[in-house]
Amino acid sequence: MPTPATPTVPLAEYLGRRLLQAGVGHLFGVPGDFNLTLLDGLAQVEGLTWVHSPNELGAGYAADAYARRRGLAALVTTYGVGELSCLNAVAGSAAEDVPVLHVVGSPATTAVARGVLLHHTLADGVFDRFSQAAAQVTVAQETLTRERAAEQVDAVVLAALVHRRPAYLSVPADLAGLPVDAARLATPLAAATGPAAVAAFAADLAALLADARRPVLVVGHLVDRFGLAGAVRAMAEAAGVPFVTMLSAKGCLDEDHPLAAGTYAGTMVDPAAAALVEASDAVVHLGVTFTDVLSGFFTHRPADARTVRLTATTAAVGDGPAHEVALTDAVSVLAAELPRTRRPVPAPAAPRPVPAPVELGVGPLTQQAFWSVVQDWLPAGTAVLADTGTSFWGAAGLRLPADTVFVGQPVWNSIGYALPAVLGQGLADPVRRPVLFTGDGAAQMTVQDLGSIAAAGLRPVVVLLDNRGYTIERALQSPTAGYNDVTPWDWHGIAAALVGPALTHHAVATAAELAQALKDAAEDRGSLVLIEVALGAFDAPPLLRALAERNAATAG
């Protein structure tokens, strides 16, 4: 607690200024009576902009995409009904290692102390049920107190930054204006790795690399989360070491780089990349996660005595101990050690296949033709967002042009994520025009966020794959089952109602129509462009078919 002579600021302002220091310029969420005083205080902090979302789930998805680009996002909801509505989004951020600070406006401390039966509760006088739920999907949780409020804010924000995972902060309504010590703001939040741990990791690494002649870097999504793409690229170039990229890190490094050796998902996606990893005598895991899908159903090379494993907060070599070293520091150590040993210059990677060109005829559009036309059109310097299902597995097969961001959710796989993610990506990275690929089933879950996207001034290209159902589920099992169908919608009418006059709509059914619509969309920078694409209900892109085959084999 500050003394009477200590300069103070209201707690809401303190939180807002900590967010600004971490690169946050937008607040996502939905107002509710328990967070209104907090929101009034945050509104006084210059540099923070409130972003309207129709519901908390969409706000959570938008915050997730924002945090991927900015390194932190703030999601503000009310107690109970609001925080539970976005729990799925926060869980996705946890699974995908995305630092979203979930700030919940909660009942006043006086009401909690008396056990008052309040709305948005179970009317039983118990107030910690929802923070317990949040504890399952967040790396740190605090319910603020009068005595330690500023210290608690700092601890939770720092935890999100260090671990690149969600954290939970409950702000009682009567504490939002609490005076707290302003002097703490002069010291930015930062965590330092101990020099002894760095030295121990460096020694273990040097021992492994001393006789390594065929090292390879396996680039995972944490490279992107920590903003380390440039450092990893420079390290690979300095040491002449090839790299393969996990599907979860697609777009993190230039796919046309001379040292890029393909996509690594075990043997499912790219056999050449799998062979390179298998033959390596030093495999460096840079923030990877090997789930069933990302590992090609566990056909990857498991970590062994010749593996370096780097996570957000630890670094380990072979069977040795995990040293408490932050990923940024571990990459610096690796960059110093890798070039020390002369190795043969790797042969240039074989050209990776891209969707084959198609004739722009008048026949019905197939998945193969669709992605081939997209490949020919996709401009550099954009942000590609692909929703779970057909869209992700089609877009994953694209060869991205230079300076292209890719946003997907291959670990959590929540259908409907990518449309609200356009809002977060677009606000976090306004120089890139978002290009969204989403299915009709996914869009039916979160289409209302088109209104928020348009209101924010964003003008993405939205490519809606209308195949009348959940094609990924059809590919996996029971393709003709009625539960895989969705109700047909008037997409043009719905989008027009949500977006208004800023909408341009194209309905396409052939490759020629698609190519023309994409060309027009590239030139139409002043509109939100919706391209509605008619596709066969049972057609699927090659990678989705491969996924379905592996899934069936595993189940069998």
Side-chain angles (χ1 to χ4, degrees), residues 20 91 151 180 387 419 438 441 517 548:
L20 285 172
E151 176 187 341
V180 297
D387 214 308
L419 196 152
T438 184

Side-chain angles (χ1 to χ4, degrees), residues 161-190:
L161 293 172
V162 167
H163 296 275
R164 289 302 197 268
R165 300 195 64 163
Y168 177 89
L169 189 66
S170 177
V171 182
D174 57 342
L175 297 189
L178 178 73
V180 297
D181 184 0
R184 299 175 62 97
L185 293 168
T187 304
L189 300 176

